[in-house]
Amino acid sequence: MEPATTIRSTIEDYIRKQGYTLQYFADISGVNAGTLSAIIKGTRPIAMAQLDLITQGMNLEEGYFYETYGAECFVESAPHWRRLEPFLQRCAELDKLDCIQRVIQQVTDDRSYISELFEMAEGMLERGQQKAARMLYECVAECEKYQHSERLALCQYRIFTLSLGQNQHDNLRAAVHFEPYINRLDEERQLDAIKDLANTYASLRYWDKLFSLADELGHKAEIIQSFTKKKVNKESRVTAYPLFVYQAYSNLLKANACECRGEYTEALKYTEKYNNLVNIPNPNDEDMIYINMFNRWTEVNTYLYNLMMGKKEVLPIYVAWIEQNEKETLTALVKIIEAANKYDMNIDDVLFKFDKSINSILSDRTLSEGYNEQLKNDLYSKLLFELAMYYFNREQYSEGMQKLVNCLSSAIRINNSNDIIQCVALFERYRYFASQEIESIYHNLMEEVYSYYEIKKNHGYTLV
């Protein structure tokens, strides 16, 4: 049965009420009069391009008819890919995600469109239409959930990367869900998948899991590299980076895991390993980008691990390096303040030197999604917590309390339970020094935490 109001009846009513002739409306809309007549009579289907022209001619907003068009063309009648493809693409361009969801739920009964939907999702991802792409990947994954296929695994990989955001519990859930699909991917694509998964666990501070994935990454990269006799150029390879990068990055991740577990001697050992791995013969221009990157990391991390072992004499060299490498300021400051708290160092001069940088970092809350931003969010919270500790240790309680409630707010925003617990414990230790204003802010933040966990309890949510 047709809906009570069809697109063609709406067009016909509009022309009549405006007092237009068919030819006049054809002229203002840009649709041929004969074509327009056939559309109104129902003897010719409406193409997407014609629908957009008609909508514009009627002075309606773009996509005004899309919901009705989806129902008429793809739900109530057998869909044809020749018409479905431009419809989904236009919906993605106009961010009409409800229309996409409604239509793909219907058309996937016909499994013949699964390959086309997957390829379309890939195209949307390349064009930055991430939400629409994710819908199509989820649709394809659902249709192929009982298949042991590489396409299913690739869909799950795409869904995983598109799921990463600021909520750490959601990120953990996405990581746990995706991990079983890694081995179904093409061997080379597995390298990027493991790398992305390892970065996610790094932001979650799962150091043992990070080390395990880093070890797997290095092992797989070594095997693939042993079978690859010649360099593959950037345009034709499957991996995002040259193969030697994955072996080197594996050791960098291991060094990071060791550092965070307080194993600084081991961290230095893995730093030396990745420094040696990037010394490849006959590097090209792209190779040199990564070689220089790892060389910088070798230098700075050597300073860092020595500082974390209590070698205070490296601090001026480390600070000088940061001044020449501003992009590393956030990471470096976190570590310097952490070392200061651990070894009771006075770093007031360092904080003064980087005062503008610190204020800039703490005021930058326009963070996007993805694992790099996960790491940035994590570092942001750690910076605030370490600053709070530093000020408390130096009896600057007002400054410490302000940083602490800011840290708590950040931890709540990204749903980091460990940081929330640490902040609460530290606040209770120094509560006596909290002003009435800070007490009020703290109370409101704790109400927010309470409300969130009440919602979780009432809806039966679990962590993963």
Side-chain angles (χ1 to χ4, degrees), residues 211-451:
F211 193 94
S212 173
L213 286 168
D215 198 47
E216 184 180 358
L217 176 63
H219 180 65
K220 285 183 182 289
E222 184 178 4
I223 292 173
I224 294 171
Q225 202 162 10
S226 68
F227 285 101
T228 305
K229 304 300 181 183
K230 60 180 182 178
K231 287 185 180 179
V232 182
N233 62 46
K234 187 175 182 180
E235 289 70 29
S236 59
R237 72 172 183 245
V238 175
T239 56
Y241 308 101
L243 285 175
F244 79 92
V245 171
Y246 295 93
Q247 276 191 274
Y249 194 65
S250 161
N251 284 280
L252 185 142
L253 290 175
K254 288 181 183 180
N256 180 233
C258 289
E259 173 218 335
C260 293
R261 294 187 300 204
E263 301 164 356
Y264 303 114
T265 303
E266 286 294 297
L268 283 169
K269 181 184 77 173
Y270 288 115
T271 300
E272 184 179 357
K273 278 190 176 183
Y274 68 70
N275 186 48
N276 292 334
L277 282 166
V278 297
N279 290 325
I280 62 171
N282 306 316
N284 58 32
D285 290 345
E286 185 191 15
D287 294 337
M288 285 306 303
I289 293 172
Y290 299 109
I291 290 170
N292 291 333
M293 189 180 297
F294 278 98
N295 285 339
R296 288 198 304 274
W297 284 334
T298 298
E299 181 183 3
V300 67
N301 286 336
T302 300
Y303 299 147
L304 167 62
Y305 301 148
N306 278 289
L307 178 65
M308 296 307 293
M309 286 191 285
K311 298 180 180 179
K312 302 176 183 179
E313 64 272 14
V314 303
L315 180 58
I317 308 171
Y318 191 24
V319 169
W321 188 92
I322 300 165
E323 289 181 291
Q324 298 300 316
N325 297 270
E326 291 184 3
K327 290 183 179 179
E328 302 294 330
T329 302
L330 173 57
T331 304
L333 284 173
V334 169
K335 293 303 178 182
I336 288 172
I337 303 167
E338 186 180 339
N341 289 332
K342 183 175 182 180
Y343 297 108
D344 192 26
M345 297 162 53
N346 186 325
I347 56 165
D348 287 351
D349 57 331
V350 176
L351 296 181
F352 180 78
K353 184 186 291 285
F354 291 101
D355 183 59
K356 287 185 179 179
S357 296
I358 292 171
N359 289 333
S360 175
I361 291 167
L362 297 183
S363 63
D364 178 18
R365 308 313 303 135
T366 57
L367 302 181
S368 58
E369 298 183 350
Y371 64 78
N372 285 330
E373 294 304 338
Q374 284 180 282
L375 295 172
K376 186 175 179 182
N377 285 338
D378 184 53
L379 285 169
Y380 175 86
S381 292
K382 288 176 74 174
L383 175 64
L384 285 166
F385 187 82
E386 294 296 338
L387 278 171
M389 284 285 292
Y390 181 77
Y391 288 127
F392 286 144
N393 290 340
R394 309 200 75 75
E395 299 182 356
Q396 298 176 28
Y397 300 114
S398 178
E399 280 287 336
M401 277 295 177
Q402 188 61 60
K403 296 295 184 289
L404 184 59
V405 292
N406 287 346
C407 182
L408 179 57
S409 176
S410 174
I412 293 169
R413 185 174 60 85
I414 64 175
N415 195 14
N416 190 319
S417 300
N418 289 335
D419 281 359
I420 293 171
I421 292 168
Q422 279 192 314
C423 288
V424 169
L426 194 60
F427 185 89
E428 293 303 326
R429 181 187 297 178
Y430 292 98
R431 179 188 279 273
Y432 177 80
F433 300 101
S435 66
Q436 188 173 351
E437 180 186 1
I438 291 292
E439 282 274 12
S440 177
I441 294 171
Y442 177 76
H443 174 77
N444 291 336
L445 289 171
M446 294 312 295
E447 283 295 314
E448 191 175 335
V449 173
Y450 178 78
S451 298

Side-chain angles (χ1 to χ4, degrees), residues 450 452-461:
Y450 178 78
Y452 172 76
Y453 284 101
E454 275 297 299
I455 291 171
K456 280 186 67 176
K457 182 178 72 175
N458 292 337
H459 286 79
Y461 295 159

